[in-house]
């Protein structure tokens, strides 16, 4: 398959491909997405194939107009309106009960649906011109770090999808925060680009550290899969254990290692997936990473690092 590359002036051509049921990668403010017509089961299946994603891991539907939630969802709770009013367009995904129009291919067989309005002009234009909501997971081969620039997406999907919109690097660099609003109180299923502190101002009773009981009520299939892993092994050092890095460096002196010591947290969040991918290019065997404080975007950073790590100290 030939993958067409579009610039921001050719979004209409990319939209034609979406209308035809093809897969097109596009930029968002969080990470790049791998998009297809959310209402067309055959198109959605192509996303799963290109990404190598298990079909029970549901996709987020991207919309360009807040009112679309009435079309895609039902029994919408008050919290949803409050959150949308404050945070859309932006890095927040809400889970609602799905309406009949949403195919089970998009929701991985669930009766709920994940919806988000991205804060990115190119993405919004693509959705509008396609005249349909767009399902999109992060643009990366399943299990690998998400794609946050055009080069990442090209290297993962050249020859595997119909098109890629070439645009700027993702501004935030980590995926959206995902909140389940089908339960009361709401549950934060994935910390992300919108901080818990900001979410709590609107939804004070949100459960941010769901335990097993919460998760059996709120089905979150994505959580069981390994994520964000480069080829290198990641060893994560939580606060207070940083001194152990030296021991490891001695132990693995024959291996190619890299120490990552995050300081400016927003900057680090933005570059995290890029750094992990670069380690693969450089054939690094082991990455040592010091942890960050779990405040603001730091909560999402630590969530990604813990999922990517093979050893945590
Ligand atoms: O920022 C983002 O959210 C990016 C951009 C492209 O919008 N998308 C993204 O999609 O990160 P993905 O597929 O990589 O992650 C979506 C997460 C998964 O963990 C999935 O399991 C969860 O959302 N999810 C989707 N629909 C769900 C549902 N109905 N119930 C529970 N979890 C759901
Ligand atoms: Mg993903």
């Amino acid at each position: 398959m030939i993958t067409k590359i579009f610039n921001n002036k050719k979004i209409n051509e990319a939209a034609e491909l979406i209308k035809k049921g093809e897969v097109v990668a596009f930029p968002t403010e969080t990470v790049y997405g791998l998009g297809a017509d959310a209402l067309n089961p055959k198109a959605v299946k192509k996303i799963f194939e290109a990404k190598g994603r298990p079909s029970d891991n549901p996709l987020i539907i991207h919309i360009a107009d807040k009112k679309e939630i009435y079309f895609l969802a039902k029994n919408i709770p008050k919290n949803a309106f409050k959150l949308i009013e404050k945070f859309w367009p932006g890095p927040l995904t809400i889970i609602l009960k799905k309406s009949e129009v949403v195919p089970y291919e998009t929701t991985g067989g669930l009766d709920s649906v994940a919806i988000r309005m991205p804060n990115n002009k190119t993405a919004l234009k693509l959705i509008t011109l396609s005249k349909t909501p767009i399902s999109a997971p992060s643009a990366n081969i399943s299990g690998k770090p998400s794609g946050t620039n055009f080069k990442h997406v090209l290297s993962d999907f050249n020859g595997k999808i119909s098109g890629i919109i070439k645009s700027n690097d993702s501004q935030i660099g980590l995926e959206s925060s995902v909140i389940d609003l089908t339960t009361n109180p709401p549950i934060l299923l994935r910390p992300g680009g919108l901080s818990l502190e900001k979410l709590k101002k609107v939804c004070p009773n949100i459960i941010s550290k769901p335990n097993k009981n919460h998760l059996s009520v709120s089905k979150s299939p994505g959580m069981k899969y390994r994520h964000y892993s480069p080829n290198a092994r990641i060893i994560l050092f939580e606060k207070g254990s940083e001194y152990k890095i030296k021991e490891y460096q001695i132990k693995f002196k024959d291996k190619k290692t890299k120490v990552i010591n995050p300081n400016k947290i927003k900057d680090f969040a933005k570059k995290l997936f890029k750094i992990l991918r670069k380690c693969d290019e450089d054939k690094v065997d082991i990455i040592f990473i010091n942890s960050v404080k779990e405040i603001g975007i730091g909560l999402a950073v630590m969530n990604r690092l813990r999922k990517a790590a093979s050893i945590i100290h």
Side-chain angles (χ1 to χ4, degrees), residues 25-34 51 116 137-157 164-165 167-175 228-229 269-277:
F26 63 99
T28 85
E29 81 281 32
T30 55
V31 299
Y32 271 70
L34 202 57
K51 203 174 145 102
R116 141 169 146 83
S138 50
N140 54 279
I141 299 295
S142 198
K144 292 283 156 200
S146 303
T148 55
N149 66 30
F150 170 71
K151 209 178 98 192
H152 297 156
V153 181
L154 188 70
S155 94
D156 279 13
F157 294 108
I164 302 175
I165 302 180
S167 190
N168 300 332
D169 293 7
S170 309
Q171 258 176 296
I172 297 177
L174 295 180
E175 303 85 347
Y228 316 114
S229 301
K270 183 172 177 169
K271 282 193 259 161
L272 173 61
F273 291 141
K274 194 174 175 180
I275 294 170
L276 296 182
R277 282 175 176 257

Side-chain angles (χ1 to χ4, degrees), residues 25-266:
F26 63 99
T28 85
E29 81 281 32
T30 55
V31 299
Y32 271 70
L34 202 57
D37 180 350
L39 308 179
N40 175 347
K42 277 194 193 150
V44 170
K45 274 193 182 157
K46 291 182 191 169
I47 297 178
F48 285 93
E49 279 161 24
K51 203 174 145 102
R53 177 165 173 133
S55 61
D56 66 346
N57 194 356
L59 306 177
I60 296 171
I61 299 187
H62 296 67
I63 58 176
D65 178 347
K66 293 179 186 179
K67 289 197 285 296
E68 285 276 296
I69 61 164
Y70 294 108
F71 174 58
L72 299 170
K74 57 186 184 189
N75 307 344
I76 305 170
K78 271 197 192 134
N79 272 333
F81 299 107
K82 285 197 221 160
L83 289 166
I84 290 169
E85 181 58 32
K86 184 106 178 115
F87 299 119
W88 277 6
L92 171 68
T93 296
I94 58 172
I95 313 270
L96 301 170
K97 204 150 175 56
K98 87 170 190 71
S99 73
E100 281 66 35
V101 300
V102 179
Y104 282 111
E105 280 77 4
T106 288
T107 67
L110 297 176
D111 286 317
S112 58
V113 59
I115 309 177
R116 141 169 146 83
M117 181 176 178
N119 187 14
N120 176 288
K121 276 191 189 144
T122 304
L124 293 172
K125 195 161 174 196
L126 177 71
I127 300 162
T128 306
L129 292 174
S130 301
K131 297 194 163 59
T132 185
I134 295 183
S135 299
S138 50
N140 54 279
I141 299 295
S142 198
K144 292 283 156 200
S146 303
T148 55
N149 66 30
F150 170 71
K151 209 178 98 192
H152 297 156
V153 181
L154 188 70
S155 94
D156 279 13
F157 294 108
N158 195 12
K160 293 186 188 149
I161 59 174
S162 296
I164 302 175
I165 302 180
K166 182 177 181 178
S167 190
N168 300 332
D169 293 7
S170 309
Q171 258 176 296
I172 297 177
L174 295 180
E175 303 85 347
S176 61
S177 304
V178 179
I179 299 193
D180 190 348
L181 295 176
T182 66
T183 62
N184 195 8
I187 299 175
L188 180 67
L189 292 178
R190 179 177 74 183
L194 182 65
S195 73
L196 178 62
E197 292 86 343
K198 283 191 182 156
L199 279 167
K200 278 198 161 163
K201 281 196 182 147
V202 178
C203 248
N205 62 344
I206 190 168
I207 292 174
S208 56
K209 287 191 180 139
N211 60 31
K212 281 207 176 107
N213 289 338
H214 297 129
L215 292 178
S216 64
V217 185
S218 159
K219 293 202 183 75
S220 180
M223 286 193 171
K224 65 179 185 253
Y225 298 108
R226 202 176 146 78
H227 270 88
Y228 316 114
S229 301
N231 296 328
R233 281 172 73 186
I234 293 181
I235 304 183
L236 177 64
F237 297 87
E238 303 258 5
K239 277 266 153 299
S241 65
E242 296 88 345
Y243 68 95
K244 289 199 174 129
I245 290 186
K246 281 234 156 59
E247 291 171 21
Y248 270 99
Q249 279 174 319
I250 295 165
K251 186 167 160 195
F252 292 115
K253 62 179 186 308
D254 299 333
K255 300 271 183 200
K256 183 159 184 188
T257 60
K258 184 172 171 64
V259 178
I260 296 175
N261 203 355
N263 47 26
K264 286 189 196 138
I265 184 64
K266 264 201 180 156

